[in-house]
Amino acid sequence: HFAGDVEYNINGFLSKNKAGLGDGLMECVQSSKNSFVSSLFNADKGNSSGSALGSQFKLQLNQLMQDLSSTKCHYIRCIKPNSDQLPQLFDNVNSLRQLRCTGVIEAAAIRKQGYPNRLLFDKFINRYGPTLFPQQLHQFKLNKILPIELIKQLFSATKDNIFFSDIKDKYMSHDLQIGKTKIMMRDTTFLKLEATKQIKISKIILKIQSIGRMKINRMVLNEKVNKRNKSVLLIQSIFRKKQKIKELKKIKFSVVLIQRKIRGKIKRIFWEKKWKEIQEKRRKEEEEKKRKEEENENENELRPDLILKKVVSTFRFPVESVKQ
């Protein structure tokens, strides 16, 4: 199965693959009348084996076929990366030679000439639906349309499906075929679908990134605005505080002045009243004093000596002559 050259090491090949004769054949040869033949096989009697290598290989092959038939096996093409049996070492020339000699490259070339890209209808819809035809996919899920009906609608020549109409006009006869369960595409159509899908995904990613950047910038801007507003409020509060302090000082000064005026007026009223009382008291004392003086004068007028003295003083006589 390998088209290239294969090297074998023949050292010990015969000893490893040596098989003895069967017991029946050994007995038949030993019973020969020819003494030379019987002597040869008598010497090789110890090499007799219960079963030949061919029968052992047959038994092993039958066991392998039984195992394969009882399981669902999958064949994997193994490529030997290097001849030194070392990890992380890849021999490009040797690997390419193995691919060519095992027919992998030829199989890929043959497959490429047909329709190498084959997708079930459901997988095709799930792969390209969300990006290339989201509206039709929504209708498909809403109305429970069959997948094959959706595929036919997508590739029908309508104005709404410009992309799929373009594919149908250019590639439907050569590069794309719709089967009963699968849609088969060549590389041209498949690459066109993949490229369009990547463009759509790139636009969606750019849209998501733009929305994300917008959200981030808004958060940063809101944070800056909040800091600015806090700073403005702090400045305004400090300014209002200073204004209120000034107003409070003015009010305090005015209150103190009013209190001083009121206390001064109260004191003046009090002392004016007190002064009036003192004046009234003095007036009463003076009146009392005058009254007493008048009473004393009246009493003195009745005394003879005083009367005489008054008379003398009236006529201006010396007091001494009057006495004489």
Side-chain angles (χ1 to χ4, degrees):
H1 303 286
F2 189 77
D5 298 333
V6 181
E7 296 180 356
Y8 292 95
N9 185 8
I10 61 175
N11 294 328
F13 183 79
L14 292 177
S15 61
K16 293 178 182 179
N17 296 278
K18 184 178 181 180
L21 297 176
D23 294 337
L25 183 60
M26 182 67 71
E27 292 177 359
C28 180
V29 174
Q30 288 178 355
S31 62
S32 176
K33 295 180 179 180
N34 191 331
S35 60
F36 176 74
V37 174
S38 61
S39 63
L40 288 176
F41 284 94
N42 283 332
D44 199 24
K45 186 175 181 179
N47 294 330
S48 176
S49 60
S51 62
L53 289 178
S55 61
Q56 293 179 7
F57 177 75
K58 185 177 180 181
L59 291 173
Q60 293 176 358
L61 184 60
N62 289 333
Q63 184 66 34
L64 177 63
M65 293 304 297
Q66 290 178 3
D67 294 340
L68 292 177
S69 61
S70 64
T71 58
K72 295 181 180 180
C73 58
H74 298 275
Y75 295 96
I76 300 174
R77 184 76 67 179
C78 297
I79 302 298
K80 191 176 182 180
N82 60 77
S83 301
D84 299 327
Q85 297 183 359
L86 296 175
Q88 305 298 328
L89 181 61
F90 191 82
D91 189 356
N92 297 335
V93 177
N94 188 23
S95 300
L96 181 60
R97 175 174 168 271
Q98 294 179 65
L99 291 173
R100 285 176 178 172
C101 294
T102 53
V104 175
I105 294 179
E106 290 297 328
I110 294 171
R111 183 67 179 266
K112 190 175 180 180
Q113 291 178 359
Y115 296 93
N117 304 291
R118 303 176 184 181
L119 294 173
L120 293 170
F121 292 149
D122 293 335
K123 290 185 178 181
F124 180 84
I125 292 171
N126 293 331
R127 185 181 182 89
Y128 300 108
T131 54
L132 299 184
F133 47 93
Q135 296 179 356
Q136 290 83 353
L137 181 63
H138 178 69
Q139 294 295 330
F140 164 72
K141 292 181 178 179
L142 187 63
N143 300 327
K144 297 182 179 179
I145 304 173
L146 295 175
I148 188 169
E149 296 296 331
L150 179 61
I151 296 295
K152 290 180 179 180
Q153 290 179 13
L154 291 174
F155 288 97
S156 61
T158 59
K159 293 181 180 180
D160 297 333
N161 300 325
I162 299 175
F163 174 72
F164 290 99
S165 301
D166 183 59
I167 292 179
K168 182 179 183 301
D169 295 339
K170 290 185 178 180
Y171 307 113
M172 192 67 177
S173 59
H174 302 288
D175 295 343
L176 187 142
Q177 292 294 332
I178 299 175
K180 292 183 178 180
T181 59
K182 292 183 179 181
I183 180 169
M184 296 167 286
M185 298 172 287
R186 288 182 178 173
D187 288 338
T188 51
T189 304
F190 180 74
L191 293 176
K192 184 176 178 65
L193 286 171
E194 287 293 324
T196 308
K197 178 185 173 183
Q198 291 299 325
I199 292 172
K200 294 283 187 179
I201 291 174
S202 298
K203 290 182 179 179
I204 293 171
I205 291 172
L206 289 175
K207 185 68 175 178
I208 294 172
Q209 289 177 346
S210 63
I211 293 172
R213 286 193 295 268
M214 179 187 68
K215 294 288 185 183
I216 293 171
N217 290 331
R218 280 184 178 178
M219 291 173 63
V220 174
L221 182 61
N222 289 333
E223 187 176 357
K224 291 182 179 179
V225 170
N226 291 333
K227 287 183 178 179
R228 188 191 65 181
N229 291 337
K230 288 181 180 179
S231 301
V232 171
L233 291 175
L234 181 61
I235 294 171
Q236 289 177 348
S237 63
I238 293 171
F239 182 74
R240 285 195 297 269
K241 178 182 177 182
K242 291 184 177 180
Q243 282 187 335
K244 292 297 181 181
I245 290 172
K246 289 182 180 179
E247 292 177 1
L248 184 61
K249 288 181 178 180
K250 289 181 180 179
I251 293 171
K252 186 177 180 181
F253 177 77
S254 301
V255 170
V256 171
L257 182 62
I258 292 170
Q259 289 177 349
R260 188 173 64 187
K261 295 287 186 182
I262 292 172
R263 283 195 297 268
K265 189 172 183 180
I266 291 171
K267 291 294 183 181
R268 282 196 297 273
I269 293 171
F270 173 76
W271 287 113
E272 285 178 358
K273 186 176 180 181
K274 198 76 173 174
W275 179 250
K276 287 181 180 179
E277 291 178 355
I278 293 169
Q279 286 182 345
E280 185 68 21
K281 187 177 180 181
R282 286 181 179 178
R283 186 180 62 77
K284 289 180 179 181
E285 289 177 352
E286 290 179 356
E287 288 179 355
E288 184 69 22
K289 187 177 180 180
K290 287 181 179 179
R291 187 180 63 80
K292 288 180 177 181
E293 289 177 354
E294 289 178 354
E295 289 178 354
N296 292 328
E297 288 179 357
N298 293 329
E299 290 178 357
N300 293 329
E301 287 180 355
L302 297 175
R303 290 171 60 184
D305 55 345
L306 293 176
I307 294 171
L308 180 61
K309 190 176 182 178
K310 187 176 180 181
V311 172
V312 172
S313 61
T314 302
F315 292 101
R316 296 180 181 177
F317 291 115
V319 179
E320 294 178 355
S321 60
V322 174
K323 286 182 179 181
Q324 292 179 359

